[in-house]
Amino acid sequence: MKTYNIAIIGAGMIGAAHASGYRAHQARLAGANHQFNLHTVCDAREDAAQELARVWGFAHTSSDWQAVLNNPDIDIVSVALPNFLHAEVAAAALRAGKHVLCEKPLALTAAQAKELTELAASSKGINGSVFNYRRIPAISMIKQLIEQGEIGTPTHLLVQYQTGYAADPLLPHSWRYTESRAGGGALHDIGAHAIDIARFLCGDILEIVGATEDTFIKHRYLPLTANAGHSHVTLSDQSAVVDTDDISSCVLRFNSGCQGLFSASRVTVGMGNTLSFTLTGSKGTVLFNSERPGEFQIARASKESGAFVTRANNPAFPYLSDLIPVPHDGVAIGYAEGFGFMIAEFMQAVAENRPYSKGNFADGLAVALVLEAIQHAARERRPVSISEFAGAQP
């Protein structure tokens, strides 16, 4: 029997999401010829690695990611590190023959993402980008309805990702507030998810018609102790410049002719972690808000007199009939379940030795191209075609 040993590199906030997903589905996806083993958690902070391993049942810990990749017993690697380490560690993992699931953004630049995607194409390992919002059953069901023509031809998309984690000026400075280490601010941290959902629903993006970005908290105090995620810690009296965006917005034009409005904010008080969209088609409209992930609203000209109706989770929605403990009408799901569905799909692709198609490195590159185009459009105050970055495409 083949045993796939799993390692998570990065024991911070998002590393826990990966650990939860693997733990939830390791037994469910075991088969007659294969099983999955929670092997190693790696982090430079040994105490963080040990705690994550303890909570989620991983057998080993390490503080050296290169040693983990050199370990022939490791088969699957989740890269859950700060943005500036994604490309380096993911590339090393691919070269070591591992199956790699890498956090977004795939890389700091489109050029780096291209190099990584080309390496992945020649690697024997399965590759995936973390675009977990595709796996929310309501969003996947909306995708099916679009493909079935239920709302006609998509004509306009309003997509937003709003959070408030950085609204407090006393949140300490970290890598997220330095462009050379983060790539961008709200745009790369949360906007990458919104752009992926835009592509998932409406296809490839042709042009950034116009864009703007702003930083409203221009300095933050340096922490006296290590911090993870968006936690508060004791601050020093030294501050550092913030050179990443707090808010980024743009107008999109898709290859299909659909128009789009996009916005990402990390300083919206009251919006903890909210992805929302309104998609209008020639025959109807759909609404989704991640604060209510177990439902969406749809209005169709040919049904219900064009009025909005709410469709709640039911076993006919993707993922719900076989990946939740209680597959019944109206059973709620949340962030952890959707993230776990993504992990389950990746594990299944590895077990079946087939490409992971819904959110692979090529999708990560496509998002990287759009993120870079948005930055150029905002800073140069002009429309930017994605084709201007054709050299970064594989």
Side-chain angles (χ1 to χ4, degrees):
M1 175 179 285
K2 170 63 177 176
T3 297
Y4 294 98
N5 288 320
I6 299 163
I8 296 175
I9 302 180
M13 176 179 65
I14 204 64
H18 285 254
S20 171
Y22 287 120
R23 177 65 180 266
H25 295 287
Q26 67 169 135
R28 182 189 298 274
L29 294 180
N33 300 313
H34 67 272
Q35 64 182 11
F36 297 91
N37 180 42
L38 307 180
H39 194 280
T40 298
V41 175
C42 176
D43 198 284
R45 302 162 299 149
E46 293 187 21
D47 58 337
Q50 290 167 1
E51 180 63 9
L52 193 68
R54 182 192 68 80
V55 170
W56 297 105
F58 282 71
H60 307 282
T61 62
S62 174
S63 59
D64 182 353
W65 63 263
Q66 292 172 320
V68 171
L69 299 185
N70 288 333
N71 184 347
D73 292 336
I74 300 296
D75 303 286
I76 298 172
V77 174
S78 269
V79 179
L81 293 164
N83 295 2
F84 61 93
L85 292 171
H86 290 179
E88 178 185 3
V89 177
L94 289 170
R95 292 189 183 100
K98 312 302 185 186
H99 306 291
V100 183
L101 182 62
C102 184
E103 270 297 329
K104 54 76 208 162
L106 187 59
L108 296 184
T109 67
Q112 288 178 344
K114 173 182 179 289
E115 293 176 1
L116 192 55
T117 302
E118 289 178 337
L119 177 61
S122 63
S123 169
K124 67 178 182 180
I126 308 301
N127 64 86
S129 294
V130 174
F131 291 132
N132 50 295
Y133 285 93
R134 293 182 179 214
R135 276 76 184 185
I136 293 177
I139 293 180
S140 290
M141 192 65 199
I142 288 169
K143 172 69 169 177
Q144 286 189 11
L145 293 174
I146 294 169
E147 292 175 340
Q148 293 165 5
E150 285 293 314
I151 65 166
T153 301
T155 57
H156 187 270
L157 173 70
L158 168 63
V159 60
Q160 303 177 90
Y161 202 135
Q162 298 168 292
T163 68
Y165 71 80
D168 185 350
L170 295 181
L171 193 74
H173 200 284
S174 72
W175 61 266
R176 284 185 170 84
Y177 303 104
T178 302
E179 184 172 324
S180 63
R181 296 168 74 81
L187 178 63
H188 284 63
D189 193 24
I190 54 178
H193 281 304
I195 292 298
D196 181 66
I197 289 300
R199 293 186 63 252
F200 183 58
L201 298 176
C202 300
D204 283 327
I205 295 165
L206 176 68
E207 181 184 23
I208 308 304
V209 179
T212 184
E213 61 180 15
D214 289 286
T215 304
F216 295 97
I217 301 174
K218 301 183 184 300
H219 294 81
R220 290 184 182 270
Y221 290 103
L222 297 173
L224 286 175
T225 58
N227 65 307
H230 309 303
S231 59
H232 287 78
V233 296
T234 303
L235 302 176
S236 73
D237 58 1
Q238 303 290 316
S239 67
V241 172
V242 175
D243 65 356
T244 56
D245 57 282
D246 287 329
I247 299 177
S248 180
S249 303
C250 74
V251 177
L252 308 167
R253 189 155 63 91
F254 294 84
N255 287 353
S256 65
C258 182
Q259 297 181 18
L261 295 175
F262 156 87
S263 183
S265 170
R266 64 187 183 189
V267 291
T268 304
V269 174
M271 304 297 284
N273 187 58
T274 305
L275 171 70
S276 64
F277 61 81
T278 301
L279 176 59
T280 301
S282 57
K283 298 179 182 179
T285 301
V286 288
L287 309 175
F288 174 81
N289 188 306
S290 66
E291 291 185 340
R292 299 186 300 278
E295 66 183 44
F296 67 92
Q297 286 73 47
I298 184 168
R300 288 166 286 194
S302 61
K303 299 180 181 179
E304 298 96 20
S305 301
F308 278 102
V309 296
T310 298
R311 292 196 59 183
N313 280 349
N314 68 69
F317 282 26
Y319 307 107
L320 292 181
S321 63
D322 55 352
L323 289 180
I324 61 171
V326 185
H328 193 277
D329 289 357
V331 173
I333 62 98
Y335 181 92
E337 287 89 349
F339 203 100
F341 299 158
M342 175 196 66
I343 295 283
E345 282 192 334
F346 187 74
M347 294 166 73
Q348 193 67 44
V350 169
E352 296 174 3
N353 193 31
R354 58 171 172 78
Y356 176 73
S357 58
K358 291 192 293 184
N360 53 27
F361 278 19
D363 289 304
L365 170 58
V367 169
L369 289 166
V370 176
L371 297 180
E372 200 155 304
I374 292 171
Q375 287 182 318
H376 278 266
R379 295 170 187 182
E380 298 170 18
R381 300 298 184 188
R382 66 176 179 88
V384 174
S385 172
I386 305 303
S387 65
E388 293 187 31
F389 302 94
Q393 298 183 29

